[in-house]
Amino acid sequence: MKLENKKLLSILLGLEMTISFAGCEGLKDYHTSQNSTTYSTSEIETTKNIYLTEQSTKEKEETFIKDEGYVCALANLNLRKAPDLSSEVLKVIPKFSKLKKEKTNGTFDYISYDGTYGYVSHKYIEKLTNPYVEVDISDQTLWLYKDGDVKLEADVVTGKKGKYDTRLGCHKIYSKEKDRYLTGPDYKVRVEFWMPFDKGQGLHDASWRKTFNKDDYLNGSHGCVNMKYTDAKEVYSEVSVGTNVLVHG
């Protein structure tokens, strides 16, 4: 806050006391005894509002507590400059993006996204479990994270593009099974490791696949995330029912 504004604040109490005794009728200017500067009542009110706004923002920021970890955006989010719904929007974060969270006050979370720091609404994010799985459709890659580190990076083949697309989302594994058959209208295949996460779509080994190239999903699965046997085995050993599977484009 500018020095001049601070001086103005120091006379506000005296001004308000004067008004309370004499009324505000006819009061147009306030002249300080220290110098010849004249302040209109509108200038004083503006300064007071700036001070109150700064104090309000400071109080909101002081209520934050440390809460580090990665989270998923459950909707398109406005990344704001301050923890206030009227604050400037720095960026719009796409739904199902992964964000780095640093602190929270229960209403807003302070996060980083694509090199920019700001505040997002707490109710539209979900904290990712430890461990968790991330699948990038565009890169055809899966990562298994544990204790904040990458434990496994694996090539995958996702659902056939444009027909059986693997559904984006911040999913959760809802079952774990070994040695079972997956069946559909035109297929029946045996898998050793089965980890479904969304309406029948899941993670599993696909021993019948000869390659796991970046463009294989153009003729990919029926929606599941196909993995090499050894990769599926490692993921199966680390995850449990409730583990997050974040799928994004």
Side-chain angles (χ1 to χ4, degrees):
M1 183 179 294
K2 294 181 178 179
L3 180 59
E4 186 178 86
N5 288 341
K6 289 183 178 179
K7 289 180 179 179
L8 282 174
L9 287 173
S10 68
I11 65 173
L12 284 176
L13 286 176
L15 174 61
E16 289 175 354
M17 290 177 65
T18 301
I19 292 174
S20 66
F21 286 109
C24 61
E25 183 177 354
L27 179 62
K28 295 182 180 179
D29 298 307
Y30 183 80
H31 188 273
T32 66
S33 60
Q34 288 82 2
N35 54 53
S36 60
T37 304
T38 299
Y39 301 104
S40 69
T41 54
S42 62
E43 290 174 326
I44 294 173
E45 197 60 37
T46 298
T47 302
K48 185 174 181 181
N49 290 337
I50 291 172
Y51 173 76
L52 292 175
T53 299
E54 290 179 351
Q55 285 296 100
S56 177
T57 300
K58 183 178 180 181
E59 288 172 2
K60 288 178 182 178
E61 291 178 343
E62 286 178 347
T63 62
F64 278 77
I65 60 173
K66 186 176 180 180
D67 186 20
E68 296 181 325
Y70 284 94
V71 298
C72 168
L74 300 178
N76 294 330
L77 295 179
N78 289 323
L79 182 64
R80 297 185 181 276
K81 187 174 182 178
D84 192 303
L85 291 178
S86 62
S87 178
E88 176 188 352
V89 175
L90 303 175
K91 285 186 178 182
V92 177
I93 301 172
K95 188 176 182 180
F96 304 134
S97 296
K98 187 173 78 168
L99 316 171
K100 180 67 169 64
K101 177 180 176 181
E102 296 196 358
K103 57 184 180 178
T104 185
N105 68 355
T107 302
F108 288 92
D109 292 340
Y110 184 67
I111 63 97
S112 63
Y113 170 72
D114 197 25
T116 302
Y117 288 81
Y119 299 86
V120 297
S121 179
H122 175 77
K123 64 182 178 180
Y124 295 118
I125 67 168
E126 179 176 330
K127 194 165 187 175
L128 295 172
T129 53
N130 180 37
Y132 68 91
V133 174
E134 178 182 0
V135 178
D136 187 333
I137 300 292
S138 62
D139 198 46
Q140 290 294 281
T141 302
L142 174 149
W143 295 273
L144 171 65
Y145 291 90
K146 187 173 183 180
D147 299 326
D149 296 322
V150 176
K151 186 172 179 59
L152 173 70
E153 179 176 336
D155 296 326
V156 297
V157 176
T158 58
K160 184 174 182 178
K161 188 176 181 180
K163 187 173 183 180
Y164 300 117
D165 295 284
T166 303
R167 289 182 285 273
L168 307 185
C170 192
H171 310 296
K172 294 182 187 299
I173 291 174
Y174 61 83
S175 179
K176 285 180 65 179
E177 299 178 52
K178 280 188 175 183
D179 189 18
R180 66 157 292 172
Y181 282 91
L182 305 180
T183 60
D186 56 353
Y187 67 91
K188 181 178 180 179
V189 295
R190 177 187 171 279
V191 299
E192 183 66 31
F193 307 104
W194 172 234
M195 297 157 279
F197 56 75
D198 181 48
K199 302 176 183 177
Q201 294 188 353
L203 311 170
H204 64 78
D205 52 297
S207 57
W208 58 89
R209 287 201 174 275
K210 304 303 180 185
T211 61
F212 286 80
N213 298 320
K214 298 299 183 185
D215 59 354
D216 281 355
Y217 78 122
L218 298 176
N219 188 31
S221 72
H222 285 76
C224 288
V225 179
N226 290 183
M227 308 174 65
K228 298 174 184 176
Y229 180 91
T230 54
D231 293 335
K233 181 179 181 180
E234 182 168 356
V235 172
Y236 190 91
S237 69
E238 293 290 347
V239 302
S240 58
V241 172
T243 293
N244 283 122
V245 178
L246 173 59
V247 182
H248 59 79

